[in-house]
């Protein structure tokens, strides 16, 4: 199952490397949001530094919506999703492969955003390990939910507008936990970031289990 | 003799009349028979509506969850239609919970909304999750596929309910909500009676809405399934007459 998932993730990342949507659209979009937040907060470096964790993760979620839309859009063309189903690959592998591809892209987005907040918001993490681990775990949780909801709306004509309506409320617990963990990592709030990392992990596991259990039903005739 | 199409029946009319009587009694109990609270003053009168509506909102969403499981497991059309109806009624009750809670919170807590209150925020998230569910339901397309997708969305949304329910205990230092007043038996006499009336009235209203919404959704489904066949047979009959 994991080997097939790896192949599907590799296929999606190969398409991504060739089409360069991540580098030419998603990353610039994330950067624009970071800049717009600075304008919205009156270009106050103090305020931006204080709110860095929240602004960072809201931007990641916006970028995640784009990544999920993109990674499933390629499956609509030429009946690629039907071909994937006909290949006999376990639906759970398809789910995990898609989630891994989305998570990989999100980690790239997070690295760029991390550098951006250091430069633009003058915010440097006190605990780099916590920031890195929370970044990867949160990317996994977001990607698992994204993979589930991306497949859910893939064949709908209104998928681009419906996906954020369905996905963002589901990701609210991830946003809260990741913001808390980063609050500790960046020293902007007095909380135990490692405890919030546990919450992040818990939601990640829940979304993964839901995806593994329901993907077969979802792909059956969608 | 043709009868006027209706989703009502003797049972629903009895439920409807009982709901109206219970609501009238609730108004009397809340505004005249009960006394203002020592701490909350007159704001406590909203409590008789807010608490029942909040708890019955869970009931509606849990019915939606059970219906969703029935559909995913047994392809039960009854379960699917019930889930849709219950989710719609649940959204109305959830919105009412937030509105009455905000109105109650202003005089009691000094604010309409507090982002630090976990129960408040998780209830809002639940509302948004089921608004998404209803948005998905509205998308045209293959009925079976849509029902299946909606069932999964409903089950994911249900994860929020235990979090809302336990939030007052889990984040005791981050909530304006009091602990379970009803379970701990802190309310007495006429206040308890008014709360009971609140549950009765809101429960009857929920049942009335649920039955009617279920029947409307069922008829919509029947029309979608048999409407074309009926129209074709009518056209054929017209042709035969000529």
């Amino acid at each position: 199952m994991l080997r097939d998932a790896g192949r599907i993730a590799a296929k999606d990342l190969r398409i991504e490397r060739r089409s360069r949507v991540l580098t030419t659209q998603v990353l610039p979009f994330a950067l624009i949001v970071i800049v717009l937040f600075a304008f919205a907060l009156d270009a106050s470096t103090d305020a931006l530094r204080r709110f860095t964790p929240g602004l960072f993760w809201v931007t990641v979620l916006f970028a995640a919506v784009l990544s999920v839309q993109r990674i499933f859009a390629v499956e609509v063309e030429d009946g690629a999703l039907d071909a994937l189903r006909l290949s006999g690959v376990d639906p759970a592998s398809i789910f995990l492969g898609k989630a891994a591809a989305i998570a990989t892209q999100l980690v790239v987005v997070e690295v760029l955003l991390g550098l951006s907040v250091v430069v633009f918001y003058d915010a440097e993490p006190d605990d780099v390990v916590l920031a890195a681990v929370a970044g990867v775990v949160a990317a996994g949780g977001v990607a698992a939910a994204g993979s589930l909801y991306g497949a859910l709306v893939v064949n709908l004509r209104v998928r681009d507008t419906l996906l954020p309506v369905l996905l963002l409320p589901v990701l609210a617990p991830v946003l809260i936990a990741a913001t808390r963990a980063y609050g500790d990592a960046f020293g902007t709030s007095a909380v135990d970031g490692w405890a919030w990392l546990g919450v992040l992990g818990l939601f990640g596991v829940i979304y993964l289990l839901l995806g593994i259990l329901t993907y077969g039903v979802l792909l059956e005739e969608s | 003799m043709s009868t006027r199409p209706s989703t009502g029946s003797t049972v629903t009319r009895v439920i409807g009349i009982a709901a109206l009587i219970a609501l009238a009694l609730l108004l009397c109990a809340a505004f005249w028979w009960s006394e203002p609270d020592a701490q909350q003053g007159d704001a406590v009168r909203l409590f008789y509506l807010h608490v029942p509506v909040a708890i019955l909102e869970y009931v509606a969403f849990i019915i939606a969850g059970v219906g969703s499981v029935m559909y995913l497991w047994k392809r039960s059309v009854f379960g699917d239609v019930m889930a849709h109806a219950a989710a719609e009624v649940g959204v109305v009750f959830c919105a009412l919970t937030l509105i009455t809670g905000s109105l109650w919170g202003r005089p009691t807590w000094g604010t309409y909304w507090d982002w630090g209150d976990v129960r408040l925020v998780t209830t809002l998230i639940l509302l948004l999750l089921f608004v998404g569910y209803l948005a998905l339901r509205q998308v045209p397309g293959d009925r079976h596929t849509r029902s299946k997708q909606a069932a999964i969305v409903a089950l994911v949304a249900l994860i929020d309910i235990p979090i809302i329910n336990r939030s007052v205990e889990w984040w005791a230092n981050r909530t304006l909500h009091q602990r379970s007043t009803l379970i701990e038996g802190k309310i007495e006499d006429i206040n308890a009676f008014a709360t009971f009336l609140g549950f009765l009235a809101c429960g009857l209203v929920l049942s009335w809405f649920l039955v009617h919404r279920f029947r409307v959704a069922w008829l919509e489904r029947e029309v979608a399934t048999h409407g074309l066949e009926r129209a074709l047979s009518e056209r054929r009959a017209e042709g035969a007459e000529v």
Side-chain angles (χ1 to χ4, degrees):
Chain A
M1 183 168 87
L2 288 177
R3 190 181 301 162
D4 287 341
R7 285 186 185 131
I8 286 164
K11 175 209 56 121
D12 281 340
L13 292 173
R14 200 176 306 124
I15 293 172
E16 182 45 52
R17 201 183 64 221
R18 289 173 185 166
S19 63
R20 293 188 183 148
V21 170
L22 179 72
T23 48
T24 60
Q25 292 176 31
V26 180
L27 290 178
F29 169 76
L31 205 58
I32 289 166
V33 174
I34 284 288
V35 172
L36 289 180
F37 277 142
F39 295 149
L41 291 175
D42 209 17
S44 158
T45 309
D46 280 346
L48 288 167
R49 194 185 303 119
R50 194 151 32 102
F51 297 127
T52 289
L55 301 178
F56 179 94
W57 282 107
V58 167
T59 312
V60 170
L61 292 198
F62 287 162
V65 171
L66 293 187
S67 287
V68 172
Q69 278 171 344
R70 168 67 190 159
I71 226 150
F72 282 94
V74 295
E75 302 293 358
V76 178
E77 291 160 18
D78 303 324
L81 192 62
D82 292 333
L84 201 59
R85 286 204 305 251
L86 285 171
S87 67
V89 176
D90 185 352
S93 298
I94 300 175
F95 165 72
L96 289 174
K98 291 279 176 197
I102 297 166
T104 309
Q105 293 191 19
L106 287 183
V107 170
V108 175
V109 171
E110 287 171 13
V111 170
L112 174 89
L113 286 179
L115 295 172
S116 304
V117 296
V118 170
V119 175
F120 295 130
Y121 296 178
D122 193 24
E124 287 187 40
D126 301 333
D127 190 342
V128 180
V129 177
L130 175 60
V133 176
V136 173
V137 175
V142 172
S147 180
L148 177 61
Y149 279 84
L152 206 134
V153 300
V154 64
N155 280 326
L156 304 180
R157 255 180 279 172
V158 291
R159 61 177 173 270
D160 293 343
T161 43
L162 192 59
L163 179 68
V165 174
L166 292 175
L167 181 61
L168 292 177
V170 171
L171 291 178
V174 175
L175 174 70
I176 294 167
T179 304
R180 292 281 179 279
Y182 266 44
D184 185 15
F186 280 82
T188 55
S189 54
V191 293
D192 182 1
W194 291 98
W196 282 102
L197 186 65
V199 178
L200 264 181
L202 177 69
F203 274 96
V205 170
I206 290 172
Y207 297 148
L208 277 173
L209 285 176
L210 280 169
I212 290 169
L213 291 173
T214 59
Y215 229 61
V217 182
L218 210 54
L219 290 185
E220 205 175 79
E221 287 168 49
S222 64
Chain B
M1 195 180 85
S2 66
T3 53
R4 198 157 56 93
S6 165
T7 54
S9 64
T10 308
V11 174
T12 56
R13 283 183 200 106
V14 169
I15 294 174
I17 291 165
L20 287 174
I21 294 169
L23 281 171
L25 287 173
L26 174 64
L27 283 174
C28 292
F31 287 107
W32 289 292
W33 302 339
S34 64
E35 294 294 321
D37 184 72
Q39 292 175 333
Q40 299 174 33
D42 283 325
V44 75
R45 301 179 198 281
L46 260 174
F47 176 92
Y48 308 129
L49 182 64
H50 174 70
V51 175
V53 164
I55 291 175
L56 290 167
E57 152 215 328
Y58 297 157
V59 173
F61 286 141
I62 289 168
I63 292 172
V66 172
S68 300
V69 171
M70 283 167 69
Y71 188 75
L72 286 178
W73 191 20
K74 297 278 185 190
R75 292 283 181 269
S76 162
V77 175
F78 173 86
D80 180 47
V81 176
M82 178 58 81
H84 188 181
E88 263 191 31
V89 179
V91 163
V92 173
F93 272 60
C94 191
L96 271 176
T97 303
L98 290 170
I99 292 166
T100 54
S102 293
L103 293 174
W104 184 39
R106 178 68 177 169
T108 314
W109 299 336
T111 178
Y112 287 114
W113 193 267
D114 181 66
W115 285 104
D117 189 284
V118 183
R119 177 169 279 183
L120 213 54
V121 177
T122 46
T123 303
L124 178 63
I125 291 172
L126 184 67
L127 177 68
L128 295 175
L129 288 166
F130 272 97
V131 165
Y133 172 92
L134 295 182
L136 176 64
R137 280 279 187 185
Q138 294 301 315
V139 179
D142 177 63
R143 199 184 304 138
H144 169 61
T145 306
R146 197 69 67 252
S147 301
K148 202 173 50 179
Q149 292 166 330
I152 292 171
V153 169
L155 292 179
V156 175
L158 282 183
I159 296 171
D160 198 25
I161 289 184
I163 299 174
I164 299 173
N165 187 255
R166 305 314 302 164
S167 61
V168 180
E169 272 76 27
W170 290 347
W171 291 279
N173 58 339
R174 283 183 61 85
T175 185
L176 295 174
H177 272 90
Q178 60 213 71
R179 295 166 81 91
S180 307
T181 314
L182 296 176
I183 294 169
E184 292 175 9
K186 286 181 184 167
I187 53 173
E188 295 167 351
D189 306 333
I190 186 65
N191 294 346
F193 177 65
T195 310
F196 164 75
L197 271 178
F199 273 103
L200 183 69
C202 294
L204 287 166
V205 170
L206 176 89
S207 310
W208 190 85
F209 270 135
L210 205 57
V211 172
H212 279 283
R213 188 63 192 90
F214 175 87
R215 286 178 178 169
V216 169
W218 187 270
L219 288 173
E220 283 172 350
R221 203 179 174 98
E222 289 295 301
V223 167
T225 310
H226 303 297
L228 182 64
E229 289 170 23
R230 194 170 299 163
L232 282 172
S233 56
E234 279 172 9
R235 295 294 307 206
R236 284 194 193 108
E238 283 171 19
E241 282 168 16
V242 174

